[in-house]
Amino acid sequence: SKQPTFTVVICPLLALIRDQVQGMNTLVPGSALSLAGKMERSSQSEVYHAINHLQESRLKLLYVTPEKVIKSKLLMTHLQRAYNEGSIQRIVIDEVHCASQW
């Protein structure tokens, strides 16, 4: 069977991330998750578990803040592993006009 993949969406706006995740999960429950700086460890663990167990998870979109990408070695380790396994379909930068500030 084909390797399941997901898309990483880097987005600086927490409210937008929340809306997008909620909207996607209304359509396909469990298909969207997010990682931001001030999340409880259990919520972060849930995301990492979904990345590492794509066969069982329904993950299609992972929203992350630029700060999380920059500051989290743990996130980068998981993303590197997923990339090496061919699990990341694409990386999208939302609100790219903010990029000069990042």
Side-chain angles (χ1 to χ4, degrees), residues 4 29-31 46 48-59:
S31 63
E46 186 182 314
Y48 294 135
H49 186 270
I51 292 171
N52 293 331
H53 299 89
L54 279 181
Q55 299 287 5
E56 299 135 37
S57 79
R58 303 174 95 182
L59 182 64

Side-chain angles (χ1 to χ4, degrees), residues 21-33 57-60:
V21 169
Q22 187 176 10
M24 279 301 299
N25 286 330
T26 299
L27 296 171
V28 182
S31 63
L33 293 170
S57 79
R58 303 174 95 182
L59 182 64
K60 288 292 167 200

Side-chain angles (χ1 to χ4, degrees), residues 65-80:
T65 58
E67 297 78 18
K68 191 70 178 174
V69 172
I70 291 165
K71 293 179 181 171
S72 176
K73 286 185 173 61
L74 184 58
L75 171 61
M76 293 312 292
T77 298
H78 285 279
L79 291 180
Q80 184 67 55

Side-chain angles (χ1 to χ4, degrees), residues 1-9 24 28 30-33 50-62 79 81-91:
S1 69
K2 191 171 166 263
Q3 165 83 9
T5 59
F6 67 100
T7 296
V8 178
V9 182
M24 279 301 299
V28 182
S31 63
L33 293 170
I51 292 171
N52 293 331
H53 299 89
L54 279 181
Q55 299 287 5
E56 299 135 37
S57 79
R58 303 174 95 182
L59 182 64
K60 288 292 167 200
L61 290 170
L62 174 62
L79 291 180
R81 185 182 308 129
Y83 175 79
N84 292 344
E85 293 171 356
S87 299
I88 295 179
Q89 188 170 27
R90 69 183 68 84
I91 298 174

Side-chain angles (χ1 to χ4, degrees), residues 10-53:
I10 301 173
C11 178
L13 306 175
L14 288 174
L16 182 59
I17 289 174
R18 227 171 312 179
D19 288 349
Q20 295 290 331
V21 169
Q22 187 176 10
M24 279 301 299
N25 286 330
T26 299
L27 296 171
V28 182
S31 63
L33 293 170
S34 65
L35 267 178
K38 292 184 171 76
M39 283 179 68
E40 290 183 24
R41 195 174 298 260
S42 61
S43 298
Q44 293 186 47
S45 295
E46 186 182 314
V47 173
Y48 294 135
H49 186 270
I51 292 171
N52 293 331
H53 299 89

